[in-house]
Amino acid sequence: MAKVIGSVVATQKDASLVGRKLMIVQPINADGKAMRSEEVAADMVGAGIGERVLLARGAGARHATVNNVPNDVNDCSIVGIIDSVDV
Amino acid sequence: MAKVIGSVVATQKDASLVGRKLMIVQPINADGKAMRSEEVAADMVGAGIGERVLLARGAGARHATVNNVPNDVNDCSIVGIIDSVDV
Amino acid sequence: MAKVIGSVVATQKDASLVGRKLMIVQPINADGKAMRSEEVAADMVGAGIGERVLLARGAGARHATVNNVPNDVNDCSIVGIIDSVDV
Amino acid sequence: MAKVIGSVVATQKDASLVGRKLMIVQPINADGKAMRSEEVAADMVGAGIGERVLLARGAGARHATVNNVPNDVNDCSIVGIIDSVDV
Amino acid sequence: MAKVIGSVVATQKDASLVGRKLMIVQPINADGKAMRSEEVAADMVGAGIGERVLLARGAGARHATVNNVPNDVNDCSIVGIIDSVDV
């Protein structure tokens, strides 16, 4: 679980990243506490700043629906927007 | 080893996650002490809140029996319920 | 490098884990100091409690000799027993 | 997200690394704060010292455009140069 | 980047590890400071104690030139010897 906290612009990048919305996400616990360090994730679900999201890493990140590019370098995707957390 | 501590609801998500039960798990040591940070895991074995479980990450997570969807983005699954720990 | 410190019993689990001996391992440094957090690993070499062992994670864990099951969810295996460490 | 802080020279290395520009990168948060530990990354986009960059790890690192060598051992690539960060 | 600090002997091990030189490596920053915890890595380049080396993890580790064994469990290889670091 992570929170979207910003975005990055990168003009010079691998061809597989062109057109991707690259967001900065902060991994969090259920209580919202920031854990570990921020990461850059390709947004596959239209997540907005401040939303809590589901991340997929590694090969899973490249399986996201809109992700069908050859030689994809992406290794972290936002794959869901969290509506509610029950703990 | 992890403990199931809650669940999340996400309406907007990758197609491969539809119908999955997404639980919040807290990695723990054998003595129950929380380690590292919470994660969201797809439950493949019917685990309940409070139970200690086995996790599989990465490609292993996608190999879980009920997990046969194309382009699966899932990268963390609950694959077993721990009955007892002997240390 | 890790030390075997216990075992777990899990009746309800993914089919690929049936018959596996699941041990609790504590990653250690060469001086025996515990590092990071405990993990559950499938024992492929007959390791005993207290022994120092070699771990393989991810796809490597599924390549272990006795590991030939389809859709294997295992992502951490004990693949060697350490006789001696020279530092 | 990481910052390029240096480079390494390695004459004796795996054949797949010959001709690669190997940079030292420090993972950072959006505010520039160093997180975790430095890593060595193969530069695929002509990044310079001091620039903030995007990293790809694991198989993603080997998918970078100029990366088409057999049996590539590379597991961390610089795949983009960050122009700006908005948080 | 890591420093070779020792070696391990393991008689009982997976067939894919037979004949491998297994070294203990300590991840370091450019200034030589130890980071995270020690790891066991298969040496593919003839690295000696005290040398700074490049590591490859996961599938990359199994792509190292001399690494062509079936069902290789190895997930960490020394793939280069660092001559100099420029920061």
Side-chain angles (χ1 to χ4, degrees), chain A residues 7 9 11-12 14 38 72 75, chain D residues 30 45 57 63 79 83 86:
Chain A
S7 59
V9 175
T11 309
Q12 198 167 338
D14 188 88
E38 299 168 9
D72 193 352
D75 63 0
Chain D
V45 291
R57 292 186 180 83
H63 292 175
V79 296
D83 300 317
D86 185 10

Side-chain angles (χ1 to χ4, degrees), chain D residues 9 37 41 45 57 72 77-78 85:
Chain D
V9 175
S37 53
V45 291
R57 292 186 180 83
D72 193 353
S77 293
I78 299 175
V85 171

Side-chain angles (χ1 to χ4, degrees), chain A residues 5-17 22 24 26 36-40 49 62 70-75, chain D residues 1 28-31 35-36 45-46 54-57 59-61 63-65 79-87:
Chain A
I5 62 167
S7 59
V8 305
V9 175
T11 309
Q12 198 167 338
K13 65 192 164 200
D14 188 88
S16 65
L17 296 178
L22 300 174
I24 303 176
Q26 168 67 63
R36 297 177 293 160
S37 52
E38 299 168 9
E39 296 175 65
V40 176
I49 303 289
R62 293 185 288 277
N71 292 319
D72 193 352
V73 302
N74 176 32
D75 63 0
Chain D
M1 185 165 25
I28 55 172
N29 271 357
D31 60 5
M35 305 299 291
R36 298 177 292 160
V45 291
L54 301 172
L55 297 181
R57 292 186 180 83
H63 292 175
T65 311
V79 296
I81 299 176
I82 296 176
D83 300 317
S84 62
V85 171
D86 185 10
V87 286

Side-chain angles (χ1 to χ4, degrees), chain E residues 16-71:
Chain E
S16 66
L17 296 179
V18 173
R20 295 271 175 82
K21 201 167 61 156
L22 300 174
M23 309 304 285
I24 303 175
V25 294
Q26 168 67 63
I28 55 171
N29 272 357
D31 61 4
K33 188 184 173 195
M35 305 299 290
R36 298 178 290 160
S37 53
E38 297 169 11
E39 297 175 64
V40 176
D43 178 22
M44 304 301 184
V45 291
I49 303 290
E51 286 190 297
R52 288 177 300 181
V53 295
L54 300 172
L55 296 180
R57 292 186 180 83
R62 293 185 287 278
H63 291 174
T65 311
V66 301
N67 216 345
N68 253 332
V69 297
N71 293 319

Side-chain angles (χ1 to χ4, degrees), chain C residues 44-68:
Chain C
M44 303 301 183
V45 290
I49 303 288
E51 287 190 295
R52 287 177 300 181
V53 294
L54 300 172
L55 297 180
R57 294 186 179 84
R62 293 185 287 276
H63 291 175
T65 311
V66 301
N67 214 347
N68 253 333

Side-chain angles (χ1 to χ4, degrees), chain D residues 61-76:
Chain D
R62 292 184 288 277
H63 292 175
T65 311
V66 301
N67 216 347
N68 252 331
V69 296
N71 293 318
D72 193 353
V73 302
N74 177 33
D75 64 1
C76 186

Side-chain angles (χ1 to χ4, degrees), chain A residues 1 29-30 35-36 45-46 54-57 59-60 63-65 79-87, chain B residues 5-15 17 22 24 26 36-38 40 62 71-75:
Chain A
M1 186 167 21
N29 271 357
M35 305 300 291
R36 297 177 293 160
V45 291
L54 301 172
L55 297 180
R57 292 187 180 84
H63 292 175
T65 311
V79 296
I81 299 176
I82 295 176
D83 300 316
S84 62
V85 171
D86 186 9
V87 286
Chain B
I5 62 167
S7 59
V8 306
V9 175
T11 309
Q12 198 169 338
K13 64 192 166 200
D14 188 87
L17 297 178
L22 300 175
I24 303 176
Q26 168 67 62
R36 297 177 291 159
S37 52
E38 298 168 10
V40 176
R62 293 185 287 277
N71 293 320
D72 192 353
V73 303
N74 176 32
D75 64 359

